[in-house]
Structures are given as C-alpha cells and as structure tokens.
Amino acid sequence: MAGPARGRRAEHGAGLSHHVIHGYRRAYRVEGEGPAILLVHGIGDSSATWAEVIPGLARRHTVIAPDLLGHGASDKPRADYSVAAYANGVRDLLGVLGIERATLVGHSLGGGVAMQFAYQYPEHTDRLILVSAGGVGREVNPVLRAVSLPGADLMLSTLRLPGMRGQVGLFTRLIKLLDTDLGQDAGELLDLVDALPDSTSRSAFISTLRAVVDRRGQVVTMLDRCYLAQGMPTLLLWGSRDGVVPVHHAYGAHAAMPGSRLEIFEGAGHFPFHTDPARFHALVEDFMRTTAPADWSQERWRELMRAGRPGSTEGAPDPAFDRAVDRDLREASERSAT
C-alpha cells in the first residue's frame, strides 16, 4: 500500500504508455508476448512497484501493469474510487488493448480489485493471484484506519512541511530497528510521503482509502462470494510478517476459496515480491504452467449462485465454516462491493 520505492523500482516515467479513456488519461506499462498477465498495484502505489518482476514474466507473457486512476502518472480527478469502479477501469483498459482474457495479479488493494474483476467479469479472467490482498478480512493497520478519518488531508499535508520528512524517516528507522512487523516495510512507508506531493494526489489517496477502510478497519469483503471461485485457479502469496494485512487473512481466504493454493514468504512483510522477487517469479510461472485457464460457464455460475455458500440454507451461516473466516465475514459484510 506504499508508494514507489527508490532504487529498486522503475523510474516513474520509464516505459509508460498513455491512453485517454472516458476523458481521463490512464498510464500503463506493457511488455512481452504470450498469454496476458495483468499486475494491479496497491493503494498509494503505481505500476513501478512491479519493476523487478516484469522483465522475467515478460519472457513468456504479455504483461500489463496500469497506474490505477488517482495513482502514479494517471489522472487524479474527483471520481469514483471504489473497488468496483477500479474493476471497470481494468476491463476498459484491456478492451482498449484488445485483450480478451488475462490472469490477474493483485497486491493489497489491487488484490481486492482483482477479486472484484473476477466476480464482475469471470468470462475475462483466466486465473487469480492474490498478493497480501485486501478484501478478505476486517483487520488492517491502525495507521490506515487513522488516515480514513476526517482531517486526514491536513494530517497528510503536514508531512510535506520542512523537517517533517526527517521525522517520518526517524520513525520508520525506529520501527525497523525494533523488528516490528510494520518495520519490514519501513522503506515503503517512507516513500508514501513522496508519493503524495500535492493536494490532488492526497485527495485521490484519501478517496480511495475511504472506499475500503473506515475507523474500524476494512469495509469491503469478497468472502461472501468466495465460493464462486470454484473452477477459478487461485494462488495466494503472503508475507509471514505482513504489518498491513495480517497473514491470518491468507489462511482465511485459502479456506474460503475452493482449490486455492497458498504460499507464505517467511520473514517478508507486505511486499513479498520485493523481498524475494526470484521466488515470486518462480511461483507465478509454476502456477501458470500447472493450471489451465478458468473454463467459465454461465450455467455453472447460475448453479453456484442458486446453491449459495456450501453448507448454507437460504443465506444462513454455515456452522462448519472456518471460525476466523466466518467472524471476518460477519464484521466486514456491512458494505460489500457489488
């Protein structure tokens, strides 16, 4: 959920293409040839976050990495920044590029967008790869909950004042020295300050955050529809020390998504593909090689919808369903992306 990191990610404008869709300028990167893989970044981030993994994936695949609206080099209008709207934006970009189907790789907020895309457009989805994904539990780091509160713009703007960046840098070094889970991503936290240079960027960031987080945590869930993932090859990748979206969300999502695979990056934080890009690349390639694209059927989709979640009767919760999953579902389903 952080901004572009210095040194290890692509320069902000390197390799970027642009297209105006619905009157808004969208930035994106495209490399390689072959079956399409679409990489969706997290909140406050940009396509540059994938710099270390794009070249390897592009050897066998067409890799598309957009800057979501309100992020990176894309426009930052006063607009709809909901997860469903982002899924629509992904569909529109794929349409512009003439790509019918893709495997979606989503990190953090991008994981929620990828799940929403698969829900809205299963006929365009080959596979799902969810990396430290949002939308599978209520819990989220208290810092993000605080930024969702009124007055957040003023709070974020003070971080741009002279001397404040040094204090933020001191704080991030401290949490890293204390070996906290959040400290695993200290560099990305510091870069978040740089990713919000003006009021327009801050406004887009806050609007996006408030669409998915409030004072009590995440407010959008896909757990209530995870049973629809039957037949959708799904890979979950998580850091064991994720201080933003705790790793127990990975186990809950794994239990709720039939047939999914789960890989934990021991010692990694919220950005496992930064911690060990070689392993990330190997896991994605293996998953692509050993699974067939989803064979979506409207008739099968209807059958699953009519049956509802396994073990449920007319929408009642399943007593045998994993307790942690059920708890997060009840708490988070107050506002579910539709």
Side-chain angles (χ1 to χ4, degrees), residues 62-81:
T62 299
V63 182
I64 309 103
D67 286 0
L68 295 175
L69 196 69
H71 294 72
S74 290
D75 281 348
K76 301 168 180 64
R78 184 173 181 271
D80 182 1
Y81 289 111

Side-chain angles (χ1 to χ4, degrees), residues 168-318:
V168 174
L170 181 63
F171 170 74
T172 56
R173 287 193 294 274
L174 177 63
I175 62 174
K176 188 170 185 176
L177 286 171
L178 293 175
D179 197 31
T180 64
D181 287 351
L182 195 61
Q184 306 306 306
D185 301 305
E188 278 81 1
L189 291 174
L190 185 59
D191 292 320
L192 183 56
V193 177
D194 294 332
L196 303 172
D198 51 46
S199 60
T200 301
S201 298
R202 291 192 295 271
S203 178
F205 174 84
I206 293 170
S207 294
T208 304
L209 183 66
R210 286 176 177 166
V212 292
V213 172
D214 68 10
R215 63 181 179 82
R216 291 184 292 175
Q218 297 187 63
V219 293
V220 173
T221 182
M222 288 297 290
L223 287 181
D224 52 0
R225 280 154 288 167
C226 278
Y227 68 92
L228 295 173
Q230 292 183 42
M232 176 67 67
T234 302
L235 173 64
L236 303 163
L237 305 176
W238 231 275
S240 67
R241 302 195 62 186
D242 192 329
V244 178
V245 182
V247 69
H248 70 77
H249 289 208
Y251 295 104
H254 181 44
M257 303 182 83
S260 60
R261 301 183 189 180
L262 173 62
E263 293 284 346
I264 303 297
F265 286 61
E266 290 298 329
H270 191 54
F271 293 79
F273 56 99
H274 290 171
T275 304
D276 193 345
R279 183 185 176 200
F280 177 87
H281 175 253
L283 287 170
V284 171
E285 289 287 4
D286 177 73
F287 182 64
M288 297 288 289
R289 184 175 61 255
T290 58
T291 58
D295 184 15
W296 182 80
S297 159
Q298 189 174 59
E299 183 176 339
R300 175 61 176 156
W301 187 264
R302 288 198 190 104
E303 289 175 358
L304 290 170
M305 291 278 286
R306 287 167 178 161
R309 200 175 72 202
S312 297
T313 303
E314 295 183 354
D318 173 15

